[in-house]
Amino acid sequence: MASEEQKKVIDSIGGISVSAAPGSGKTWTAARLFVNRVRSVVNKRRGVALLSYTNVAVGEFKKQIQLLDSSLDVDSVNYIGTIDSFFEQFVISCFFYLIPGVTRRPRCGQIGKKPWLQIPASYIDGKRPGDLDHVRCDYKSGRIVYKFKQSEYDVTGITLPDQIVHSLFMRAIVECYRYTHEMRWFLAAEILRNKVVRRLLGNRF
């Protein structure tokens, strides 16, 4: 049974921002909001996108939506998936050619130890340069923050200057036609600077 707060979210129309603690029923509420939005869309060619950061949450969304209404389209017009897969399918794959200097579709994968594509040691620990594969992208306060993490156990990482990271990322994309999983955020952000792309996505979802 939905609480009064959840009912307000589920029945909402237009933009809404909700903050909720772990275990408060975010997935349960979002699944019902998705169903309501899909049912209310007049133009059936315009879909509703439900995005999450993890595949586990996406699986739970799909399971709950199937129980609520198994007749709903969740694959062709509408979309349920991770934000990374959304970037890949609807932004990078479609509009990569808008990146200056890119002449063919870049591929996602490791950059590797290329001396000319390494973070200078002076920005890390002063001892040795770092591979782009260890740069992580965090989205905070409306901007992407770039951090170098020495290992998967490095919780905080070292914050890197935007200008250095942007320059190296662009070289990797333009000269090697490669981008890491983390670089998807940067690549998508660069493409989404284009107003036409934003308008097309807004018309699609």
Side-chain angles (χ1 to χ4, degrees):
M1 196 70 177
S3 66
E4 286 302 314
E5 290 82 3
Q6 287 173 317
K7 286 179 182 177
K8 289 179 182 177
V9 175
I10 294 168
D11 297 331
S12 65
I13 299 173
I16 182 172
S17 177
V18 180
S19 296
S24 58
K26 295 188 295 296
T27 302
W28 187 92
T29 305
R32 282 150 181 81
L33 172 60
F34 175 86
V35 170
N36 270 11
R37 292 284 173 99
V38 170
R39 286 172 174 169
S40 67
V41 171
V42 177
N43 178 4
K44 295 302 180 182
R45 290 175 297 178
R46 189 179 190 212
V48 177
L50 177 57
L51 307 179
S52 177
Y53 287 102
T54 67
N55 287 314
V56 173
V58 169
E60 187 60 30
F61 279 138
K62 288 184 176 181
K63 184 167 70 175
Q64 291 200 29
I65 289 165
Q66 177 72 14
L67 292 173
L68 288 166
D69 189 343
S70 60
S71 68
L72 285 185
D73 160 60
V74 296
D75 294 315
S76 55
V77 177
N78 302 295
Y79 181 81
I80 303 173
T82 63
I83 192 166
D84 288 300
S85 62
F86 182 86
F87 284 160
E88 192 71 43
Q89 184 172 340
F90 295 101
V91 180
I92 298 172
S93 292
C94 300
F95 303 107
F96 68 88
Y97 59 87
L98 294 175
I99 298 292
V102 173
T103 56
R104 69 171 187 259
R105 167 77 158 90
R107 298 296 173 191
C108 185
Q110 290 188 321
I111 305 298
K113 294 183 177 295
K114 294 180 172 59
W116 48 284
L117 283 178
Q118 289 188 314
I119 304 295
S122 57
Y123 292 106
I124 305 174
D125 56 10
K127 298 177 182 177
R128 63 185 67 83
D131 300 335
L132 288 186
D133 296 328
H134 293 288
V135 177
R136 300 290 178 262
C137 299
D138 293 326
Y139 190 76
K140 293 183 178 179
S141 304
R143 63 182 290 265
I144 300 175
V145 177
Y146 305 98
K147 294 196 172 185
F148 184 84
K149 296 194 175 184
Q150 305 277 6
S151 69
E152 60 181 304
Y153 306 107
D154 186 351
V155 179
T156 56
I158 300 167
T159 302
L160 300 169
D162 290 358
Q163 188 175 0
I164 294 294
V165 176
H166 288 189
S167 175
L168 291 173
F169 276 7
M170 286 301 294
R171 288 193 69 183
I173 294 165
V174 172
E175 298 177 28
C176 299
Y177 304 100
R178 302 283 284 188
Y179 59 95
T180 67
H181 176 83
E182 293 286 331
M183 285 168 64
R184 275 188 181 134
W185 286 79
F186 166 80
L187 188 50
E190 289 298 303
I191 293 170
L192 289 170
R193 292 178 186 275
N194 188 298
K195 292 181 181 179
V196 175
V197 173
R198 296 200 300 271
R199 190 181 307 120
L200 288 170
L201 285 174
N203 290 336
R204 172 67 176 81
F205 293 103

